[in-house]
Amino acid sequence: MKFDLAIIGGGPGGYVAAERAGAKGLNVVLFEKKALGGVCLNEGCIPTKTLLYSAKVYDTAKNAAKYGISSNDLVFDYAKIAKRKDKVVRKLVGGVRLKMKQHNVTVVNENATILERKEDGICIAAGEESYFADKLIIATGSEAFVPPIPGLNMDDNHIMTNREILQSTTIPKSLAIIGGGVIGMEFASLYNSFGVEVTVIEMMDKILGEMDVEMSQMLQSIYEKRGVKIELAARVTEIKGHDVIYEKNGEQLSTSAENILVSVGRRPVTNGFGLENIGVELLKSGIKVNEKMETTVPNVYAIGDVTGFSLLAHTASREGEVVVNNITGENDTMSYNAIPGVVYTNPEFSGVGHTEKTAQAQGLDYSITSLPMAYAGRFVAENEGGNGLCKVLVDNNDKKVLGVHMLGNPSSEMIHGACMTVQSGMTLDELKKVVFPHPTVSEIFKEAIFDFK
């Protein structure tokens, strides 16, 4: 069977590329061995956010008295919460399947293997069939990285990655999380809301990796006040049954938990589908690509986590669009200067562009302003007793916005405005002329802009 474009991997990179290509009239085949939507829809973004929303509703109900509402005998049913999560996933997977049908994309639910590349295209086998395509997009994603810690056996039922913990219909009395990145902190938030004793062990000296230091510390403080124990600069050295042994400040410490979650990062999936048969060059981080997402092999592209550069669903989707645009004659390149990062804790933490750390590392001449989220009336009305922060970085030379970072609800729904600002290179004067709706929490961004002298 002959196609214009073959795509291996049906996650946010693969299925968006398939949809865009189909809409432009290309004959597309999409290979997905598990379920459409990939890790994001089935084992990551969507199921975790569905669970986190239930936790947020429960948190709101527990604090209803602050808003003049009494709620007695408040209980939660985690089995029903998990069941709703599965329902949401099924609905959205069905939606992706419908999009593929609407754009005439052939979906093959088999493991695909690249056989060879010829001058006139690429040959791929799946099931008992062979497929031939002019061009190929590799979008095989990533998998949870399991570090070589002595005693860490993933066959033990109480030791889990994000995949296994999302399949659970019960919650433990206690949970030890190895890794204080986005995944680790979101699960810490989820289980803390439902009364689980949570300990986070992070090897770095801060949670949430490269996100804004000040706001990471603020979020850490919020969760420590809620009872989450967070151990920083701590290296796990061994697992003994339910005990996690770690070193901190030269001292050996341990914590015991009913369940252990391993969330120390992810690694690209580059094996098991014949990549070696066409000679694609690999870097230590993943498949090597240029700004057009082209690999070192002509007519072969790679997008998403498999490149090892920006392991985010929305990055993968945009990379897929870049490929399709170039295939169909539109010159397009991938830009990473305005990729948003969001942590769906309660409160949410969102950021885009430069942080103070990256601006300093590049020697940029910048100014910064920070305003409490309480400067926005809507935030005060909806977040009784809550605090938060909006931070904006501006280039002192051309007055363009370099970065925006927000801690507070619902920052995930506001960060796109900051993304457009950074991506388009808007200046302070240009932003001051934009009308923001009132009352909204988003007004904090404009308040911060006017705070620059």
Side-chain angles (χ1 to χ4, degrees):
M1 288 180 276
K2 182 72 167 59
F3 294 87
D4 299 319
L5 174 65
I7 303 171
I8 301 178
Y15 78 72
V16 169
E19 178 185 353
R20 302 290 190 266
K24 289 191 172 189
L26 297 185
N27 187 16
V28 183
V29 59
L30 174 65
F31 301 97
E32 173 50 58
K33 63 181 179 180
K34 291 184 179 179
L36 286 173
V39 169
C40 176
L41 180 46
N42 295 279
E43 301 171 2
C45 317
I46 297 301
T48 55
K49 278 53 180 180
T50 306
L51 295 176
L52 282 163
Y53 186 74
S54 290
K56 188 175 181 180
V57 170
Y58 186 57
D59 283 338
T60 301
K62 285 188 293 184
N63 294 285
K66 293 181 179 180
Y67 302 89
I69 299 171
S70 298
S71 53
N72 299 319
D73 301 322
L74 186 65
V75 296
F76 68 88
D77 186 331
Y78 195 79
K80 288 185 178 179
I81 291 171
K83 187 176 181 180
R84 177 178 178 268
K85 174 258 299 179
D86 294 337
K87 181 186 72 172
V88 169
V89 170
R90 286 195 302 272
K91 180 177 181 179
L92 295 178
V93 169
V96 174
R97 189 180 300 113
L98 179 60
K99 282 186 176 182
M100 298 302 97
K101 183 177 180 180
Q102 289 174 336
H103 292 91
N104 299 312
V105 175
T106 299
V107 177
V108 178
N109 293 119
E110 298 279 358
N111 186 59
T113 301
I114 304 169
L115 298 180
E116 61 179 332
R117 176 186 172 275
K118 299 180 180 180
E119 289 187 4
D120 55 347
I122 300 104
C123 186
I124 301 167
E128 298 181 355
E129 299 290 339
S130 293
Y131 301 81
F132 198 78
D134 295 333
K135 301 181 187 299
L136 169 66
I137 296 177
I138 300 167
T140 48
S142 63
E143 60 188 359
F145 173 65
V146 179
I149 300 172
L152 179 57
N153 185 356
M154 298 309 299
D155 291 331
D156 292 339
N157 291 333
H158 70 284
I159 300 178
M160 310 173 182
T161 65
N162 64 291
R163 174 185 294 177
E164 292 81 24
I165 201 168
L166 283 170
Q167 295 172 352
S168 178
T169 58
T170 60
I171 58 172
K173 293 182 179 179
S174 55
L175 176 68
I177 301 175
I178 303 174
V182 175
I183 295 173
M185 288 309 300
E186 287 185 351
F187 277 107
S189 174
L190 172 68
Y191 281 89
N192 173 253
S193 293
F194 293 127
V196 176
E197 181 183 321
V198 178
T199 301
V200 178
I201 305 167
E202 169 55 50
M203 190 163 63
M204 296 177 62
D205 59 1
K206 67 180 289 291
I207 60 172
L208 300 174
E210 297 302 316
M211 297 193 76
D212 181 83
V213 173
E214 182 181 6
M215 293 188 194
S216 295
Q217 292 171 342
M218 289 178 64
L219 188 66
Q220 176 181 338
S221 178
I222 289 170
Y223 275 95
E224 286 177 331
K225 288 177 182 178
R226 294 176 184 173
V228 175
K229 183 179 180 181
I230 299 177
E231 295 280 18
L232 300 178
R235 184 175 66 89
V236 176
T237 58
E238 188 178 2
I239 306 293
K240 288 185 177 180
H242 290 265
D243 294 334
V244 180
I245 316 299
Y246 59 97
E247 290 181 355
K248 181 176 180 178
N249 297 326
E251 184 180 1
Q252 182 173 290
L253 304 169
S254 68
T255 187
S256 183
E258 184 177 339
N259 286 348
I260 299 170
L261 173 64
V262 181
S263 60
V264 296
R266 301 184 65 80
R267 61 183 178 188
V269 175
T270 56
N271 295 320
F273 57 96
L275 196 59
E276 65 280 1
N277 294 332
I278 54 174
V280 170
E281 183 178 348
L282 298 177
L283 301 175
K284 186 176 181 180
S285 57
I287 295 177
K288 180 180 180 180
V289 293
N290 62 16
E291 71 278 2
K292 293 186 176 183
M293 311 314 298
E294 296 169 325
T295 70
T296 53
V297 176
N299 297 321
V300 177
Y301 305 80
I303 62 174
D305 290 8
V306 74
T307 69
F309 187 71
S310 175
L311 279 64
L312 295 167
H314 41 277
T315 301
S317 297
R318 172 59 187 145
E319 289 171 339
E321 292 170 344
V322 168
V323 174
V324 173
N325 287 341
N326 281 291
I327 288 176
T328 54
E330 178 185 342
N331 185 35
D332 197 2
T333 57
M334 185 64 197
S335 171
Y336 296 96
N337 71 319
I339 302 294
V342 180
V343 189
Y344 295 86
T345 45
N346 187 15
E348 296 173 346
F349 178 13
S350 307
V352 65
H354 278 289
T355 62
E356 292 181 79
K357 182 178 179 180
T358 61
Q360 291 168 5
Q362 292 189 21
L364 301 179
D365 180 16
Y366 70 95
S367 294
I368 186 170
T369 189
S370 297
L371 284 182
M373 295 294 278
Y375 271 64
R378 178 77 174 270
F379 181 85
V380 177
E382 297 184 353
N383 294 272
E384 179 64 33
N387 57 14
L389 193 68
C390 176
K391 179 182 291 187
V392 180
L393 284 75
V394 172
D395 190 298
N396 284 332
N397 297 308
D398 56 18
K399 302 302 180 183
K400 291 181 178 180
V401 176
L402 296 172
V404 180
H405 307 275
M406 293 180 279
L407 177 64
N409 295 330
S411 68
S412 66
E413 295 294 345
M414 305 189 305
I415 197 64
H416 69 281
C419 292
M420 290 187 285
T421 298
V422 174
Q423 180 69 37
S424 62
M426 290 185 73
T427 65
L428 291 178
D429 287 341
E430 290 171 332
L431 275 169
K432 288 177 180 178
K433 297 175 183 177
V434 175
V435 178
F436 283 62
H438 176 78
T440 60
V441 183
S442 67
E443 289 177 287
I444 189 65
F445 185 23
K446 189 167 187 178
E447 290 292 334
I449 294 302
F450 273 94
D451 200 51
F452 281 100
K453 305 304 179 185

